[in-house]
């Protein structure tokens, strides 16, 4: 019983630490301090926090505080999408549509993902779908 309680306490402290890292990283990101935000977002992503993974992936796509790395961005976006994160799905669709940061373009998959997001009310996805249609 004591072992189970200690294990739960340890997990809760880990979650609290992850949320603190994410919150601090997000505040830095919003201020444009990407160099200090990136390691905190990466840490949150590595701890399994989908919001952190999504923000970190966007930083990798845009080269904000880290070198552009489309392959690594896709890895984090896929992780967050598999966890049901809607913003990650939209960002993944946009990355696949544009080929940002060396991401291999896959317009068919991008369109599928963005349509799903648009159906959920994502206005950015709607606009990206318009851009894709114009390019065809």
């Amino acid at each position: 019983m004591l072992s189970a309680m200690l294990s739960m306490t340890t997990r809760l402290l880990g979650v609290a630490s992850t949320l603190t890292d994410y919150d601090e990283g997000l505040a830095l990101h919003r201020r444009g301090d990407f160099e200090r935000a990136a390691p905190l977002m990466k840490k949150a992503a590595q701890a399994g926090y989908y919001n952190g993974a999504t923000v970190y992936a966007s930083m990798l796509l845009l080269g904000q505080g880290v070198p552009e790395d489309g392959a690594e961005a896709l890895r984090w976006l896929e992780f967050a999408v598999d966890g049901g994160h809607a913003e990650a799905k939209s960002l993944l669709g946009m990355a696949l549509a544009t080929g940002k940061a060396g991401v291999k373009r896959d317009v068919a998959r991008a369109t599928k993902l963005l349509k799903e997001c648009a159906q959920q009310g994502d206005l950015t996805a709607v606009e990206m779908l318009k851009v894709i249609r114009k390019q065809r």
Side-chain angles (χ1 to χ4, degrees):
M1 177 82 155
L2 181 59
S3 176
M5 288 177 66
L6 287 173
S7 177
M8 180 181 276
T9 301
T10 301
R11 278 185 273 161
L12 288 174
L13 289 173
V15 169
S17 175
T18 298
L19 292 176
T20 299
D21 290 338
Y22 174 76
D23 289 341
E24 289 177 18
L26 190 59
L28 291 165
H29 185 273
R30 287 180 176 155
R31 288 196 304 265
D33 191 349
F34 302 122
E35 287 76 23
R36 289 179 48 209
L40 294 170
M41 286 302 171
K42 182 177 183 179
K43 190 174 175 185
Q46 290 171 329
Y49 192 55
Y50 300 130
N51 289 341
T54 302
V55 174
Y56 184 60
S58 75
M59 296 177 80
L60 289 163
L61 289 170
L62 298 172
Q64 294 177 324
V66 291
E68 281 189 8
D69 187 341
E72 185 71 3
L74 286 183
R75 185 172 80 84
W76 287 113
L77 289 171
E78 294 285 3
F79 165 74
V81 168
D82 288 347
H85 197 277
E87 287 180 43
K89 184 185 284 188
S90 182
L91 186 56
L92 177 59
M94 287 184 266
L96 292 170
T98 63
K100 181 69 180 140
V103 170
K104 184 177 182 203
R105 291 188 74 214
D106 184 344
V107 176
R109 183 166 181 227
T111 301
K112 178 185 178 296
L113 292 168
L114 291 167
K115 281 182 179 178
E116 291 171 7
C117 294
Q119 290 171 348
Q120 298 296 316
D122 183 333
L123 298 178
T124 304
V126 171
E127 292 303 314
M128 190 68 210
L129 286 167
K130 289 178 187 177
V131 170
I132 291 170
R133 284 188 201 105
K134 285 181 184 177
Q135 292 177 348
R136 288 186 173 177

